[in-house]
Amino acid sequence: MKKIGILMTVCLLAGICHAQQIRISGKVLEASTKQAAIAANVVLQTNDSTFVNGAATDNKGIFRIEKVAEGSYKLVISAIGFKKSVIDLQGLSQSVDLGTLELEEASQQLEEVTVSATNVVSKFDRKLVFPNKQQITASNSGVDLLRNLMLPRLNVNPLDGSVSLNDGSSVQLCINGRKVGKEEIQALIPSDILRIEYLEDPGLRYGDAGAVVNYIVHRYELGGSVSTSAQQSPYVMWGNYNVSGKVNYKKSEWLSLKTWGN
């Protein structure tokens, strides 16, 4: 009788251990950029929305939820600026790798104006900023787009196209890693900009620059762009007008700038 009791206890413990061996894992990406969704919330719930367990994605977008008992669940994945994703896990009886999951960017409709979140991915030495469609559509140049992104500590002057930090420190502007002037940034077409890399603490290799703004754009064998800006006093009929343009051919570039006014 004692042996039977021990055997039943062993079987019960084995069943519990087996239940605790179930693991749910996967990888979460941002659908629009295919970048890892860092620190997204992953919550395991019962079908009546009772919390069971949870985890957060790491810097590669990977999550793991350990020691899950057999049963039916809902896995809810959420992050600020993205639509909530719900995955049904009915009759879960063994570990499962859900593979790659994607979060769609959320938008909010406000009186015929759609406001969508800007995608920002934080790396150890920089922020990768992916402009959304509304910001691109509302911008006329690379400088204008930078102003619409409203990055922390950056002051963007829409009149002369200058960029500086709140404390007055200089900002180094680059296109695809090459140092450029504000005229070339002014000549960029917003739809050509893939992302902006923002280095808030660039270090000695960038000289005395307090920050670096690096535009990553499409490379063209042959192409060009033109942008215009105008400054005019409300009291007179004349003002200062700037037209800048850039033409690329393979690895060579020509930049022109013309200003006229009173």
Side-chain angles (χ1 to χ4, degrees):
M1 188 72 178
K2 184 176 181 181
K3 291 182 178 180
I4 295 176
I6 294 174
L7 181 61
M8 291 179 63
T9 302
V10 170
C11 292
L12 179 61
L13 291 175
I16 294 173
C17 291
H18 175 70
Q20 292 180 340
Q21 292 303 311
I22 295 179
R23 179 177 67 184
I24 303 171
S25 60
K27 183 175 184 179
V28 183
L29 302 180
E30 298 174 1
S32 59
T33 66
K34 306 305 179 184
Q35 298 286 332
I38 301 172
N41 293 318
V42 183
V43 176
L44 187 67
Q45 301 176 347
T46 60
N47 287 334
D48 62 358
S49 299
T50 301
F51 176 83
V52 176
N53 203 345
T57 57
D58 61 17
N59 58 5
K60 295 182 179 179
I62 296 173
F63 70 89
R64 295 181 183 87
I65 298 179
E66 308 279 356
K67 299 180 180 180
V68 179
E70 295 183 6
S72 296
Y73 303 97
K74 293 187 297 183
L75 191 70
V76 181
I77 305 173
S78 61
I80 296 175
F82 294 88
K83 296 178 182 178
K84 184 183 297 183
S85 177
V86 180
I87 300 169
D88 286 324
L89 298 172
Q90 302 302 314
L92 185 67
S93 60
Q94 59 184 0
S95 295
V96 58
D97 184 349
L98 299 174
T100 300
L101 308 169
E102 296 186 349
L103 290 179
E104 296 288 343
E105 186 176 331
S107 62
Q108 184 176 3
Q109 192 73 23
L110 297 174
E111 296 181 356
E112 300 182 354
V113 176
T114 301
V115 179
S116 299
T118 301
N119 296 317
V120 179
V121 177
S122 296
K123 301 294 185 180
F124 74 95
D125 65 339
R126 68 194 63 195
K127 287 184 173 67
L128 307 183
V129 185
F130 297 86
N132 59 45
K133 292 180 180 179
Q134 287 72 33
Q135 290 164 334
I136 291 174
T137 302
S139 304
N140 297 316
S141 68
V143 172
D144 201 23
L145 178 61
L146 186 62
R147 182 173 62 87
N148 289 332
L149 291 176
M150 295 185 292
L151 297 179
R153 300 175 58 216
L154 275 187
N155 288 327
V156 182
N157 189 329
L159 297 179
D160 62 8
S162 62
V163 182
S164 62
L165 292 178
N166 290 338
D167 60 4
S169 302
S170 63
V171 175
Q172 181 171 312
L173 301 174
C174 300
I175 297 178
N176 292 343
R178 181 177 62 84
K179 185 177 180 179
V180 298
K182 64 181 182 181
E183 294 83 8
E184 290 188 68
I185 301 300
Q186 191 76 0
L188 287 176
I189 298 176
S191 59
D192 290 340
I193 299 171
L194 299 175
R195 69 177 185 272
I196 292 177
E197 299 182 350
Y198 181 34
L199 288 72
E200 295 186 79
D201 186 17
L204 296 177
R205 61 177 175 149
Y206 291 98
D208 59 353
V212 175
V213 175
N214 183 27
Y215 289 77
I216 305 301
V217 304
H218 290 288
R219 291 185 180 273
Y220 293 110
E221 287 295 309
L222 179 63
S225 61
V226 175
S227 68
T228 62
S229 63
Q231 303 172 37
Q232 185 170 350
S233 169
Y235 306 107
V236 296
M237 293 296 293
W238 302 97
N240 296 325
Y241 302 89
N242 298 312
V243 175
S244 59
K246 182 179 70 171
V247 177
N248 305 317
Y249 178 70
K250 295 184 177 180
K251 294 185 178 180
S252 299
E253 297 181 339
W254 295 270
L255 174 70
S256 62
L257 174 67
K258 185 176 181 180
T259 302
W260 71 93
N262 54 350

